[in-house]
């Protein structure tokens, strides 16, 4: 039925994996660390809606805040105090932000951030990393990771060549390539956009000094450094990757965790940059549902929960346990595997050495990963269906869920 009315039967390509039975798992409901399929099967979820569900599904306080706010109206198209409190909360947490603009998705946040970067600098070119995915804007679907990489499509059809020309690409974790690129194009480059921890070629941490080096190069050439923290924001630390690594970008984009499972994104920067945005500046950006009151309240409640002492220590310990379980399972059955993790996001790469870039990620044994993933799904472990995605842990994962994964890993590695 889905395939008759939806392209591929899905509303996002990476969901279209061929699980046991030849089709993806359709979900009826979710609670805590569990998903419940349309057939009634219970899955331990390590996808977490691709990152947002850091507190688990249907977290009671979040659901209650959504219900209370929705009862007052679901959308006003007018300012609310909630938006102001939400912006104040983000600014208090994220080092780079002095002002914030709320939007409805990560894609929209990135589009707004790069538009204001161009408006602020008066330049046209954007630099991104090979394998970096920053949403669905035409000029960013160039050597993109995530679903495009999984499908084997290097770029999307339907994008004019002239649009793609405004985007330059370079390898992640390669400062020499960045230096060379800026030597050639520096005066025309408005911004570098980078995931401070790459998550759409799998979890690839920055090499020591890499983020600092990008900042220096951008400053030397009058360009802006944009951290795409849609995935890492409030995931790898309360203030995001920039707080964890101590590197402050010029502009930051956020989504996923900040919405508590609702459609919500934001971008922010120092006041000088954000003052270029309409209605106070010449850079136009608007959205009917931007700062939606229900989404904002879900986000506020989530961030309040994440401020509690010990939350990120708990997530760090859980991540370390999963990392060890993957490594021990692979070693037991002599499977070439490299596990890379930052906090509660991690990827098991089916390769024998570290992965530092898209070029290295693309050499992984994707056929082995496919067999591995099918074995996990058959044992009701819901793991991301792509070698080039990260798995996520929530605060609701407990001893029972970890033991279920560890038992499933033993069988999965045995059958790889």
């Amino acid at each position: 039925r889905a395939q008759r009315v939806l392209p591929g039967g899905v509303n996002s390509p990476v969901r279209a994996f061929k699980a046991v039975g030849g089709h993806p798992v359709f979900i009826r409901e979710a609670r805590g660390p569990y998903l419940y399929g349309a057939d009634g099967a219970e899955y331990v979820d390590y996808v977490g809606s691709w990152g947002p569900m850091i507190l688990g599904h249907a977290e009671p306080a979040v659901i209650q805040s959504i219900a209370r706010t929705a009862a007052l109206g679901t959308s006003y198209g007018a300012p609310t105090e909630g938006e102001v409190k939400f912006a104040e909360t983000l600014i208090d947490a994220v080092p780079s932000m002095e002002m914030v603009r709320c939007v409805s998705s990560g894609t929209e946040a990135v589009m707004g951030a790069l538009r204001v970067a161009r408006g602020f600098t008066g330049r046209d070119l954007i630099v991104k990393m090979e394998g970096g995915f920053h949403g669905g804007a035409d000029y960013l679907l160039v050597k993109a990771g995530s679903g495009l990489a999984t499908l084997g499509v290097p770029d999307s059809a339907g994008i004019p060549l002239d649009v793609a020309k405004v985007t330059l690409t370079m390898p992640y974790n390669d400062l020499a390539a960045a230096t060379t690129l800026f030597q050639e194009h520096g005066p025309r480059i408005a911004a570098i956009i980078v995931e401070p921890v790459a998550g759409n070629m799998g979890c690839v941490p920055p090499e020591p000094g890499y983020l600092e080096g990008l900042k220096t190069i951008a400053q030397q050439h009058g360009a802006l450094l944009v951290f795409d923290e849609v995935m890492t924001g409030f995931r790898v630390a309360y203030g995001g990757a920039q707080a964890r690594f101590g590197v402050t970008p010029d502009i930051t984009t956020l989504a996923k965790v900040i919405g508590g499972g609702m459609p919500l994104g934001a971008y922010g920067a120092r006041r000088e940059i954000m003052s270029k945005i309409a209605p106070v500046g010449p850079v136009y950006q608007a959205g009917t549902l931007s700062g939606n009151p229900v989404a904002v309240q879900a986000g506020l409640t989530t961030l309040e929960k994440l401020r509690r002492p010990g939350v990120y220590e708990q997530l760090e310990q859980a991540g370390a346990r999963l990392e060890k379980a993957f490594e021990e399972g692979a070693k037991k059955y002599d499977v070439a595997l490299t596990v890379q993790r930052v906090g509660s996001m991690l990827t098991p790469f089916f390769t024998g050495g570290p992965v530092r870039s898209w070029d290295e990620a693309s050499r992984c044994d994707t056929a082995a990963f496919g067999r591995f993933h099918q074995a996990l799904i058959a044992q009701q472990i819901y793991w991301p269906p792509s070698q080039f995605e990260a798995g996520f842990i929530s605060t609701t994962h407990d001893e029972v869920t970890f033991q279920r994964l560890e038992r499933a890993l033993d069988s999965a590695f045995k059958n790889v």
Side-chain angles (χ1 to χ4, degrees):
R1 283 170 53 203
Q3 290 178 348
R4 287 198 299 270
V5 295
L6 302 170
V10 294
N11 279 307
S12 187
V14 79
R15 302 174 190 174
F17 67 93
K18 292 184 177 179
V20 177
H23 55 75
V25 177
F26 281 73
I27 304 304
R28 185 188 73 228
E29 62 180 297
R31 195 176 307 110
Y34 299 105
L35 297 174
Y36 298 91
D39 61 354
E42 179 188 79
Y43 295 85
V44 180
D45 181 24
Y46 291 99
V47 176
S49 190
W50 304 97
M53 311 315 300
I54 194 168
L55 300 177
H57 295 281
E59 202 285 328
V62 175
I63 297 301
Q64 290 165 13
S65 71
I66 289 171
R68 284 196 306 269
T69 308
L72 303 176
T74 56
S75 178
Y76 310 135
T80 68
E81 184 181 2
E83 294 173 86
V84 179
K85 185 177 180 183
F86 182 69
E88 290 169 342
T89 300
L90 293 183
I91 289 166
D92 183 61
V94 181
S96 63
M97 289 182 165
E98 292 181 347
M99 298 184 79
V100 171
R101 171 58 62 87
C102 291
V103 292
S104 298
S105 69
T107 290
E108 197 179 352
V110 168
M111 290 172 66
L114 294 181
R115 185 179 299 160
V116 76
R118 285 172 164 145
F120 183 79
T121 61
R123 301 174 179 182
D124 293 334
L125 298 183
I126 299 297
V127 177
K128 69 176 289 289
M129 307 305 146
E130 296 171 3
F133 180 75
H134 305 285
D138 282 1
Y139 57 91
L140 291 171
L141 292 179
V142 179
K143 293 190 176 180
S146 191
L148 284 169
T150 303
L151 293 171
V153 180
D155 303 303
S156 174
I159 297 174
L161 182 59
D162 284 346
V163 173
K165 284 180 179 178
V166 301
T167 304
L168 308 175
T169 63
M170 62 185 184
Y172 184 73
N173 270 329
D174 190 337
L175 285 177
T179 299
T180 300
L181 187 147
F182 269 84
Q183 286 172 346
E184 184 174 354
H185 300 284
R188 298 178 59 208
I189 295 172
I192 307 170
I193 185 166
V194 62
E195 297 171 276
V197 176
N200 288 289
M201 61 181 89
C203 180
V204 181
E207 293 285 289
Y210 177 64
L211 298 177
E212 294 89 339
L214 287 182
K215 183 172 182 176
T216 298
I217 291 169
Q219 288 176 333
Q220 289 172 343
H221 293 271
L224 300 181
L225 178 61
V226 180
F227 274 8
D228 182 347
E229 295 228 45
V230 166
M231 188 175 292
T232 57
F234 295 91
R235 165 58 68 175
V236 300
Y238 185 73
Q242 59 196 267
R244 184 175 181 123
F245 295 110
V247 180
T248 304
D250 295 294
I251 307 176
T252 298
T253 67
L254 298 165
K256 294 188 185 291
V257 168
I258 68 165
M262 296 291 287
L264 181 62
Y267 61 100
R270 62 184 184 270
R271 191 172 303 276
E272 178 189 16
I273 295 171
M274 296 301 287
S275 295
K276 293 291 184 180
I277 300 171
V280 294
V283 176
Y284 190 76
Q285 183 270 316
T288 298
L289 294 176
S290 294
N292 175 268
V294 181
V296 162
Q297 193 55 54
L300 275 170
T301 304
T302 298
L303 298 184
E304 288 169 5
K305 291 281 185 179
L306 291 175
R307 273 202 301 265
R308 294 174 303 177
V311 169
Y312 287 94
E313 289 80 2
Q314 174 191 346
L315 290 168
E316 189 75 38
Q317 290 169 7
R321 175 166 178 171
L322 260 62
E323 180 180 9
K324 182 179 179 182
F326 275 96
E327 290 174 343
E328 290 181 348
K331 183 178 180 180
K332 180 178 179 179
Y333 293 103
D334 198 26
V335 174
L337 194 80
T338 297
V339 183
Q340 296 187 179
R341 177 182 68 88
V342 177
S344 59
M345 57 184 286
L346 75 163
T347 299
F349 290 99
F350 280 75
T351 184
V355 173
R356 295 173 292 258
S357 66
W358 168 242
D359 181 59
E360 292 175 349
S362 65
R363 298 178 202 162
C364 290
D365 188 342
T366 55
F369 175 85
R371 294 189 296 272
F372 173 80
H373 181 261
Q374 285 208 341
L376 289 184
I377 289 291
Q379 297 172 87
Q380 296 173 215
I381 300 294
Y382 197 76
W383 191 264
S386 167
Q387 172 65 102
F388 310 118
E389 292 283 0
F392 298 98
I393 305 163
S394 78
T395 57
T396 60
H397 285 90
D398 57 13
E399 185 66 23
V400 172
T401 58
F402 293 145
Q403 287 184 6
R404 280 181 60 174
L405 176 63
E406 288 161 357
R407 288 194 296 270
L409 287 176
D410 187 78
S411 174
F413 281 122
K414 183 178 181 179
N415 292 314
V416 163

Short mmCIF file of all heavy atoms in Angstrom, two decimals, residues 39-63:
data_model
loop_
_atom_site.label_atom_id
_atom_site.label_comp_id
_atom_site.label_asym_id
_atom_site.label_seq_id
_atom_site.Cartn_x
_atom_site.Cartn_y
_atom_site.Cartn_z
N ASP A 39 3.19 -5.18 13.34
CA ASP A 39 2.86 -6.59 13.59
C ASP A 39 2.92 -6.94 15.07
O ASP A 39 2.78 -8.11 15.46
CB ASP A 39 3.80 -7.50 12.79
CG ASP A 39 5.26 -7.31 13.19
OD1 ASP A 39 5.54 -6.40 14.00
OD2 ASP A 39 6.12 -8.07 12.70
N GLY A 40 3.18 -5.94 15.93
CA GLY A 40 3.22 -6.16 17.37
C GLY A 40 4.59 -6.48 17.92
O GLY A 40 4.75 -6.59 19.14
N ALA A 41 5.61 -6.65 17.06
CA ALA A 41 6.94 -6.99 17.54
C ALA A 41 7.57 -5.82 18.31
O ALA A 41 7.37 -4.66 17.96
CB ALA A 41 7.84 -7.37 16.36
N GLU A 42 8.32 -6.15 19.35
CA GLU A 42 9.00 -5.14 20.16
C GLU A 42 10.48 -5.07 19.76
O GLU A 42 11.18 -6.08 19.81
CB GLU A 42 8.89 -5.48 21.64
CG GLU A 42 9.60 -4.49 22.56
CD GLU A 42 9.64 -4.96 24.00
OE1 GLU A 42 10.50 -5.82 24.32
OE2 GLU A 42 8.80 -4.49 24.79
N TYR A 43 10.93 -3.90 19.38
CA TYR A 43 12.32 -3.69 18.97
C TYR A 43 13.02 -2.79 19.99
O TYR A 43 12.45 -1.80 20.45
CB TYR A 43 12.39 -3.01 17.60
CG TYR A 43 11.85 -3.84 16.47
CD1 TYR A 43 10.49 -3.83 16.18
CD2 TYR A 43 12.69 -4.63 15.69
CE1 TYR A 43 9.98 -4.60 15.14
CE2 TYR A 43 12.19 -5.39 14.64
CZ TYR A 43 10.83 -5.39 14.39
OH TYR A 43 10.34 -6.14 13.36
N VAL A 44 14.27 -3.12 20.30
CA VAL A 44 15.11 -2.19 21.05
C VAL A 44 15.66 -1.18 20.05
O VAL A 44 16.29 -1.55 19.05
CB VAL A 44 16.27 -2.90 21.76
CG1 VAL A 44 17.12 -1.88 22.52
CG2 VAL A 44 15.75 -3.96 22.72
N ASP A 45 15.40 0.08 20.28
CA ASP A 45 15.68 1.13 19.30
C ASP A 45 17.01 1.82 19.57
O ASP A 45 17.20 2.44 20.61
CB ASP A 45 14.54 2.16 19.33
CG ASP A 45 14.75 3.28 18.32
OD1 ASP A 45 15.47 3.05 17.33
OD2 ASP A 45 14.19 4.36 18.54
N TYR A 46 17.93 1.71 18.61
CA TYR A 46 19.19 2.44 18.66
C TYR A 46 19.29 3.44 17.52
O TYR A 46 20.39 3.88 17.17
CB TYR A 46 20.38 1.46 18.64
CG TYR A 46 20.49 0.65 19.92
CD1 TYR A 46 20.01 -0.65 19.98
CD2 TYR A 46 21.05 1.20 21.07
CE1 TYR A 46 20.09 -1.39 21.15
CE2 TYR A 46 21.13 0.47 22.25
CZ TYR A 46 20.66 -0.83 22.28
OH TYR A 46 20.74 -1.55 23.44
N VAL A 47 18.15 3.80 16.95
CA VAL A 47 18.10 4.86 15.94
C VAL A 47 17.60 6.16 16.57
O VAL A 47 18.12 7.23 16.28
CB VAL A 47 17.19 4.45 14.75
CG1 VAL A 47 17.07 5.59 13.74
CG2 VAL A 47 17.76 3.20 14.05
N GLY A 48 16.61 6.05 17.43
CA GLY A 48 16.13 7.21 18.17
C GLY A 48 15.64 8.33 17.28
O GLY A 48 15.93 9.50 17.52
N SER A 49 14.89 7.94 16.21
CA SER A 49 14.40 8.91 15.23
C SER A 49 15.56 9.67 14.60
O SER A 49 15.46 10.85 14.27
CB SER A 49 13.40 9.89 15.86
OG SER A 49 12.78 10.67 14.88
N TRP A 50 16.71 8.98 14.46
CA TRP A 50 17.95 9.53 13.89
C TRP A 50 18.55 10.61 14.79
O TRP A 50 19.16 11.56 14.31
CB TRP A 50 17.72 10.03 12.46
CG TRP A 50 17.17 8.95 11.59
CD1 TRP A 50 15.85 8.75 11.28
CD2 TRP A 50 17.88 7.88 10.99
NE1 TRP A 50 15.71 7.62 10.51
CE2 TRP A 50 16.94 7.07 10.31
CE3 TRP A 50 19.23 7.53 10.93
CZ2 TRP A 50 17.31 5.93 9.61
CZ3 TRP A 50 19.59 6.39 10.22
CH2 TRP A 50 18.63 5.62 9.57
N GLY A 51 18.36 10.45 16.11
CA GLY A 51 19.07 11.29 17.06
C GLY A 51 18.26 12.08 18.06
O GLY A 51 18.73 12.33 19.16
N PRO A 52 17.05 12.54 17.73
CA PRO A 52 16.34 13.43 18.66
C PRO A 52 15.95 12.82 19.98
O PRO A 52 15.87 13.52 20.99
CB PRO A 52 15.08 13.82 17.87
CG PRO A 52 15.42 13.61 16.45
CD PRO A 52 16.38 12.46 16.43
N MET A 53 15.69 11.50 20.02
CA MET A 53 15.06 10.91 21.21
C MET A 53 16.08 10.57 22.29
O MET A 53 16.18 9.44 22.76
CB MET A 53 14.24 9.69 20.82
CG MET A 53 13.30 9.90 19.63
SD MET A 53 12.34 11.44 19.67
CE MET A 53 11.42 11.26 21.17
N ILE A 54 16.82 11.56 22.73
CA ILE A 54 17.87 11.35 23.71
C ILE A 54 17.31 10.97 25.07
O ILE A 54 17.98 10.32 25.88
CB ILE A 54 18.76 12.61 23.79
CG1 ILE A 54 20.07 12.32 24.54
CG2 ILE A 54 18.00 13.78 24.41
CD1 ILE A 54 21.11 13.42 24.41
N LEU A 55 16.06 11.33 25.34
CA LEU A 55 15.39 10.94 26.59
C LEU A 55 14.51 9.71 26.41
O LEU A 55 13.78 9.34 27.33
CB LEU A 55 14.53 12.10 27.12
CG LEU A 55 15.25 13.41 27.45
CD1 LEU A 55 14.24 14.47 27.89
CD2 LEU A 55 16.32 13.20 28.51
N GLY A 56 14.58 9.08 25.25
CA GLY A 56 13.70 7.96 24.96
C GLY A 56 12.39 8.45 24.37
O GLY A 56 12.08 9.64 24.35
N HIS A 57 11.59 7.50 23.89
CA HIS A 57 10.32 7.83 23.26
C HIS A 57 9.24 8.10 24.30
O HIS A 57 9.19 7.47 25.36
CB HIS A 57 9.87 6.67 22.37
CG HIS A 57 10.76 6.43 21.20
ND1 HIS A 57 10.73 7.20 20.06
CD2 HIS A 57 11.73 5.49 20.99
CE1 HIS A 57 11.63 6.75 19.20
NE2 HIS A 57 12.25 5.72 19.74
N ALA A 58 8.37 9.04 23.96
CA ALA A 58 7.19 9.35 24.78
C ALA A 58 7.58 9.65 26.23
O ALA A 58 6.92 9.20 27.17
CB ALA A 58 6.16 8.21 24.72
N GLU A 59 8.65 10.42 26.39
CA GLU A 59 9.08 10.80 27.74
C GLU A 59 7.93 11.54 28.42
O GLU A 59 7.38 12.50 27.86
CB GLU A 59 10.32 11.70 27.63
CG GLU A 59 11.17 11.75 28.87
CD GLU A 59 10.57 12.57 30.00
OE1 GLU A 59 9.86 13.55 29.69
OE2 GLU A 59 10.80 12.23 31.18
N PRO A 60 7.49 11.10 29.59
CA PRO A 60 6.25 11.63 30.19
C PRO A 60 6.19 13.14 30.31
O PRO A 60 5.17 13.76 29.98
CB PRO A 60 6.21 10.94 31.55
CG PRO A 60 6.93 9.66 31.35
CD PRO A 60 8.03 9.97 30.38
N ALA A 61 7.26 13.77 30.80
CA ALA A 61 7.23 15.23 30.98
C ALA A 61 7.11 15.95 29.64
O ALA A 61 6.43 16.97 29.52
CB ALA A 61 8.48 15.69 31.72
N VAL A 62 7.78 15.42 28.61
CA VAL A 62 7.71 16.02 27.28
C VAL A 62 6.29 15.89 26.72
O VAL A 62 5.71 16.86 26.20
CB VAL A 62 8.74 15.39 26.33
CG1 VAL A 62 8.57 15.92 24.90
CG2 VAL A 62 10.16 15.65 26.83
N ILE A 63 5.72 14.71 26.83
CA ILE A 63 4.36 14.48 26.33
C ILE A 63 3.36 15.37 27.06
O ILE A 63 2.46 15.96 26.44
CB ILE A 63 3.98 13.00 26.47
CG1 ILE A 63 4.89 12.12 25.62
CG2 ILE A 63 2.51 12.78 26.08
CD1 ILE A 63 4.89 12.43 24.14
#
